[in-house]
Amino acid sequence: MPFGQMSVRQLQEGLAAKEFSCHEVARSVLDAIERADEGVHAFLEVTADAALAAADALDERVAQGTFVQVGALAGVPVGYKDNMNLAGTHTTCSSNMLESYISPYTATCVAKTLSAGAMPVGKLNMDEFAFGSSTETSAFGPTFNPWDVTRVPGGSSGGSAAAVAAGMLPVTLGSDTGGSIRQPASFCGVVGVKPTYGVVSRYGIVAFGSSLDQVGPFARTVEDAALAMNAIAGHDPLDCTSQPCTVDFTANLDEGVSGMRIGVIPAFLEAEGLSAEVKAKMEEVAQKLEAAGAELHEIELPNAKAAISAYYVLGPCEAFSNLARFDSVRYGYSDPGHQDLGSQYEASRAKGFGPEARRRIMLGSYLLSAGVYDQYYYPAQQVRTLITEDYTKAFQEVDCLLAPTAPRTAFKFGEIAEPTEMYLSDMFTISINIAGNGGMSMPVGLGADTGLPVGAQLISPAFADQNMLRVAAELERIYGAAPVAPDFRAGE
Ligand code: GLN
């Protein structure tokens, strides 16, 4: 089996038993990426030297007999969404604005994977500045869904999901502001975890919505995702919103769901736009969890329907202020030949940002202007409180919620042209970022109509992310681990 298709445990057992070396793993994964990525375009940059250097240092540890102490990701090739700084690599956020930016430092989440023994293989494609749900807004061309290359992989972390679905890597990192880990995980049929806000440091991630952004892993198994969580979670003095975390995310994966209270949300299943095949899958998943011993409860989240409206006020407002730094002087593309600063700003920002980024910036600037602020921003914050209270109330009754991740399976390139229609891709994920809870997408087989992967979303109370991982592990026992996409299964 190709190394990129192995699980973390399979890799680590083979390495510890000296069946192969970290150098061989890195070399072979790099070669496989060169072959497979032509058809997927998950990678914006392959960091072969960094991966091989890490591999050689790890092989030393194998030789010294100290490999097992390295950490949760010892010997694992890992890729990073291109909004994560890794010193010496490009961090473009898939934008012309940052095309030539080289990271002078490393993000905490990336550094934590490295100190846990990961081999950094490259930087992964995304929607520009993480604005989008399809990876079509990348300035460097889209990523193709490994299950059907005429379809989008989802977004914004489309490259991170596709690299795992195509069997190029066992683990990647992405970020999720309104659904950008969970929705692409659903479209590509892999596990994608958005931890509770504050579990993972945001330091060194190019900020989109600072009160909503959270980093998390993609993997093909729940255990691999949990191991990656063990590596990246925890307090970071460089991010004052990060929290101490001593949880072992693998600890209760074998416990089963017997006695667990799982909430289903009838209103979500009646939502306009939910496809029949996703709805049928959700009903099947609920039944199977009940058969496995879970207690099902019907839950109401009366304010969740306002989540998209609130998000498309709060998100652009935060994006507008975060993106102000890309002014062509401190950061970003600088259009040459201007005599005054005003015209330099104007031309650089007009050329550096793509249409969706410009739309968000203009929206944010309008929404925060005097007179308008009270009409939109302030009420959106009030809605945020109401949604958070809905979840707090729900979690007095249940340990975990079950919902669709996305209303439908992966769509075709160009199929959704209207921005507001694209925004509906995240109708089931956004309220979780607004409330700050944990959420994840689990692959639960293929849709009856499209034959494409469907994701079930599991939602945890804040700082009880282990609850959703426990349910996810049960779903994995029922549906099997995420398969590599059929066209990429060579060597199995
Ligand atoms: N699709 C949503 C948006 O366009 C969410 C993106 C994200 O989570 N980064 O804003």
Side-chain angles (χ1 to χ4, degrees):
M1 188 194 279
F3 295 122
Q5 300 190 16
M6 288 186 179
S7 69
V8 169
R9 195 189 289 268
Q10 283 171 322
L11 279 168
Q12 289 175 342
E13 283 174 0
L15 289 165
K18 301 198 175 125
E19 286 162 28
F20 42 79
S21 67
C22 294
H23 191 95
E24 281 172 81
V25 172
R27 186 70 271 162
S28 144
V29 162
L30 291 164
D31 291 345
I33 290 169
E34 202 167 308
R35 284 192 305 275
D37 202 41
E38 212 173 310
V40 180
H41 192 228
F43 284 83
L44 294 179
E45 180 174 8
V46 174
T47 52
D49 291 347
L52 291 167
D56 292 343
L58 287 159
D59 281 334
E60 286 278 305
R61 302 288 301 256
V62 177
Q64 289 160 4
T66 57
F67 180 71
V68 284
Q69 287 118 43
V70 173
L73 296 175
V76 180
V78 176
Y80 307 95
K81 185 174 182 178
D82 206 30
N83 60 353
M84 299 177 180
N85 282 284
L86 167 60
T89 68
H90 289 86
T91 297
T92 68
C93 286
S94 289
S95 179
N96 287 324
M97 187 51 107
L98 287 177
E99 190 177 4
S100 53
Y101 177 73
I102 308 272
S103 302
Y105 71 107
T106 298
T108 300
C109 62
V110 177
K112 280 186 167 244
T113 63
L114 300 181
S115 60
M119 306 189 285
V121 169
K123 306 296 285 296
L124 297 156
N125 200 12
M126 55 187 280
D127 279 294
E128 185 178 8
F129 283 103
F131 302 141
S133 304
S134 65
T135 321
E136 287 168 294
T137 70
S138 168
F140 310 121
T143 295
F144 304 97
N145 190 319
W147 285 82
D148 175 351
V149 292
T150 67
R151 290 174 191 272
V152 305
S156 65
S157 313
S160 304
V164 172
M168 291 190 257
L169 294 174
V171 174
T172 59
L173 295 189
S175 64
D176 187 314
T177 307
S180 278
I181 291 175
R182 290 161 287 163
Q183 186 256 16
S186 171
F187 279 17
C188 290
V190 298
V191 181
V193 182
K194 183 213 86 80
T196 299
Y197 182 83
V199 167
V200 183
S201 165
R202 291 176 294 107
Y203 177 74
I205 311 301
V206 179
F208 161 2
S210 305
S211 76
L212 303 156
D213 298 342
Q214 187 59 189
V215 172
F218 290 88
R220 286 185 305 274
T221 72
V222 176
E223 185 182 51
D224 286 4
L227 287 166
M229 285 294 301
N230 281 353
I232 62 178
H235 178 250
D236 174 9
L238 299 169
D239 172 2
C240 63
T241 64
S242 70
Q243 302 291 323
C245 176
T246 51
V247 174
D248 173 1
F249 292 96
T250 65
N252 55 6
L253 302 185
D254 296 330
E255 285 173 11
V257 292
S258 183
M260 268 189 105
R261 300 164 306 161
I262 297 180
V264 292
I265 310 155
F268 279 18
L269 295 186
E270 297 312 322
E272 200 186 320
L274 179 68
S275 73
E277 61 176 355
V278 173
K279 182 175 179 180
K281 263 286 170 204
M282 290 309 118
E283 286 164 352
E284 177 193 292
V285 169
Q287 269 165 17
K288 287 189 191 276
L289 287 172
E290 190 170 35
E295 234 179 66
L296 296 187
H297 292 235
E298 291 199 345
I299 293 293
E300 274 181 52
L301 300 169
N303 298 292
K305 56 182 179 300
I308 291 209
S309 310
Y311 174 86
Y312 280 98
V313 173
L314 301 173
C317 288
E318 295 193 18
F320 160 70
S321 55
N322 275 322
L323 268 56
R325 73 194 64 175
F326 303 110
D327 61 5
S328 78
V329 178
R330 288 173 301 171
Y331 296 98
Y333 168 75
S334 178
D335 198 55
H338 295 273
Q339 299 306 320
D340 68 289
L341 201 54
S343 75
Q344 182 182 322
Y345 282 160
E346 209 175 296
S348 302
R349 283 172 70 88
K351 290 183 189 168
F353 290 125
E356 186 59 30
R358 289 202 298 273
R359 182 176 296 115
R360 307 267 176 135
I361 291 167
M362 287 193 288
L363 201 54
S365 126
Y366 171 72
L367 291 166
L368 288 175
S369 55
V372 178
Y373 178 94
D374 288 342
Q375 268 174 285
Y376 294 101
Y377 186 78
Y378 188 64
Q381 291 290 18
Q382 290 176 311
V383 168
R384 185 171 198 168
T385 302
L386 294 174
I387 291 173
T388 308
E389 285 170 359
D390 279 357
Y391 277 106
T392 306
K393 197 160 151 246
F395 287 121
Q396 282 162 4
E397 210 184 306
V398 295
D399 307 304
C400 183
L401 288 164
L402 167 70
T405 304
R408 51 177 292 195
T409 57
F411 47 86
K412 297 235 177 205
F413 286 101
E415 191 181 328
I416 301 187
E418 270 301 308
T420 46
E421 201 189 322
M422 189 69 87
Y423 298 168
L424 295 176
S425 300
D426 299 300
M427 60 200 280
F428 299 123
T429 49
I430 274 177
S431 63
I432 290 99
N433 300 73
I434 288 191
N437 306 344
M440 67 182 288
S441 184
M442 259 315 276
V444 288
L446 307 179
D449 301 325
T450 60
L452 291 165
V454 176
Q457 187 178 202
L458 301 168
I459 307 162
S460 277
F463 299 104
D465 302 78
Q466 59 276 23
N467 289 14
M468 66 187 178
L469 287 163
R470 179 174 162 193
V471 179
E474 186 67 37
L475 289 180
E476 188 171 274
R477 282 187 286 274
I478 296 168
Y479 288 96
V484 170
D487 290 350
F488 294 84
R489 271 180 216 160
E492 244 179 31

